[in-house]
Amino acid sequence: MESRNDSALPRIEDFVQYPTFSIVDKIVPFKQTEQIFGRAARGEVDIDTKGIGLTSPPPHPLDRTVFSPFMIRAHLWELCEPKVFRWQANVYDKQNMSLHIKKIARYFGVDLVGITRLYKEFAFEDDRNGEPIDLSHYKYAIVIGEAMDYESISTGPSWMDHTEVGMRYQHLTVIATQLAIYIAQLGYRARASSAGNDVVLHVPLAVYAGLGELNRMGIIITKEYGPRVRLATVLTDLPLEVDHPVDLKVGHYCELCNKCAASCPSHAIAAKGKIEVRGVVRWKLDDVKCYRYFRKDPMNWQACVRCLAVCPWNKPSKPLHRAVAGVVSRHPGSHRLINFIDDLVYGKRPKQRPMPETFNDFRMAEKDYWEMIKDSDVNIKMLNPEKK
């Protein structure tokens, strides 16, 4: 049931035994223009983009199909807030409607779905162009997640794991847009928020929607797929019953493990304690160090998810691993043993898997790549298809 003061952000401590964050002050709203990508584009941080631009096309043709300037998802952004149908479905039971919406989302293809209230603390103040965002029409957030391929992510940093990330963002944008259109057909407002067209912070909403817990990396850990997920959100005024945060004992495990920080090639993940960030005490990722590593070797990668690959929660969805996840999420006393076994089997710093040889069959030669980068018809600094 929703609380009497349902607009107030619930205390995570009321749901989780070992919370990975704690709200100690009023949360300062976040601006999209303050994200590392925007700051780098404005020259506010010392990052060498090596002349390739922030969203320049990569040397792999497969990767170019899912990232700018050719990604299909960008051309769906104009459909993110569909026109509301005049007829309106009667919602007699919010719980049944929530179950229905989750079934529809899974039918569209998501792996995870949860519902929470749209807390103003997790809404962006502005879009990436600096324009203010008005979400006052919306009351609920439907958070959807899609699992990334284990083998692909294990190659990171590489163009293969970069492509896998882009594929999930592509699928999620399609599904979020479809779900928003479906809700509009029911006669209610809906707005899809997906990668590149975000209006909310997906991770904290996913935590309150019960999909998983925040971890040391600053992203979500789910019981089913660990951190190997990408997220999107659909905002709506459709009456819904909300979910609540889950207790997976992630805070206790992350305190003992530290494998992501030890394996991070940029040393961007906090190896020690938490700090206060915008009113929240949590582990803080150094986004500048992380992004600098993104741009280190443009012929071989423009992103890195090494932390996801080495996380002990990131395992194939097989019976043994699902059973272990069940034990870990219920019994913190098992964490040291499980971590020891993970080190023994996978290594304290798991090895990077090689990309399949066929993935590089049609990769551009470096000379051709730089010619493409210099082509102003192809290389654009920022992709804004909504700005005609």
Side-chain angles (χ1 to χ4, degrees), residues 248-320:
L248 302 179
K249 310 295 186 292
V250 169
H252 186 270
Y253 197 98
C254 281
E255 288 283 3
L256 295 173
C257 178
N258 215 34
K259 186 173 285 189
C260 60
S263 300
C264 175
S266 65
H267 307 290
I269 299 174
K272 296 183 180 179
K274 304 169 186 174
I275 62 172
E276 183 179 343
V277 183
R278 297 174 40 246
V280 181
V281 174
R282 60 182 176 87
W283 287 296
K284 176 66 171 66
L285 176 78
D286 189 325
D287 55 357
V288 174
K289 286 183 178 179
C290 184
Y291 195 63
R292 280 176 179 158
Y293 189 77
F294 273 30
R295 322 308 286 177
K296 185 177 180 179
D297 190 356
M299 279 301 295
N300 290 300
W301 72 78
Q302 282 186 25
C304 175
V305 292
R306 191 72 197 136
C307 51
L308 276 68
V310 304
C311 177
W313 286 79
N314 172 42
K315 295 293 183 288
S317 186
K318 296 180 179 180
L320 174 61

Side-chain angles (χ1 to χ4, degrees), residues 327-346:
V327 171
V328 171
S329 62
R330 292 192 301 270
H331 305 291
S334 70
H335 290 181
R336 289 189 185 276
L337 176 60
I338 296 297
N339 199 45
F340 172 77
I341 294 173
D342 190 84
D343 287 347
L344 196 64
V345 175
Y346 295 95

Side-chain angles (χ1 to χ4, degrees), residues 57-209:
H60 287 277
L62 183 59
D63 205 37
R64 289 198 296 274
T65 65
V66 292
F67 276 106
S68 59
F70 307 107
M71 58 191 184
I72 295 172
R73 60 186 165 95
H75 304 285
L76 292 175
W77 293 345
E78 63 184 31
L79 304 176
C80 69
E81 201 165 16
K83 184 178 180 179
V84 179
F85 200 55
R86 290 184 179 179
W87 170 84
Q88 189 176 71
N90 290 321
V91 181
Y92 298 106
D93 187 325
K94 292 197 298 183
Q95 185 177 17
N96 280 342
M97 179 55 76
S98 293
L99 292 173
H100 174 73
I101 288 297
K102 289 179 180 180
K103 287 180 181 179
I104 295 298
R106 292 188 181 278
Y107 173 72
F108 286 158
V110 302
D111 295 310
L112 300 170
V113 56
I115 300 170
T116 182
R117 296 193 64 83
L118 174 57
Y119 297 108
K120 64 181 185 300
E121 291 88 347
F122 305 139
F124 283 127
E125 273 199 340
D126 62 6
D127 63 20
R128 57 191 178 145
N129 299 306
E131 299 293 330
I133 297 174
D134 180 15
L135 301 178
S136 59
H137 298 302
Y138 300 112
K139 189 175 182 180
Y140 300 100
I142 306 163
V143 188
I144 57 177
E146 185 169 325
M148 294 181 284
D149 178 65
Y150 174 79
E151 299 294 336
S152 297
I153 292 302
S154 299
T155 66
S158 71
W159 284 114
M160 188 170 189
D161 74 332
H162 192 232
T163 300
E164 179 63 18
V165 170
M167 284 291 291
R168 300 313 130 199
Y169 281 150
Q170 198 98 293
H171 292 170
L172 283 168
T173 299
V174 172
I175 294 171
T177 305
Q178 286 179 309
L179 189 57
I181 292 172
Y182 178 74
I183 292 172
Q185 290 297 302
L186 294 178
Y188 294 87
R189 292 178 181 269
R191 206 281 189 197
S193 174
S194 58
N197 193 32
D198 308 275
V199 292
V200 294
L201 294 164
H202 304 290
V203 171
L205 287 174
V207 170
Y208 279 92

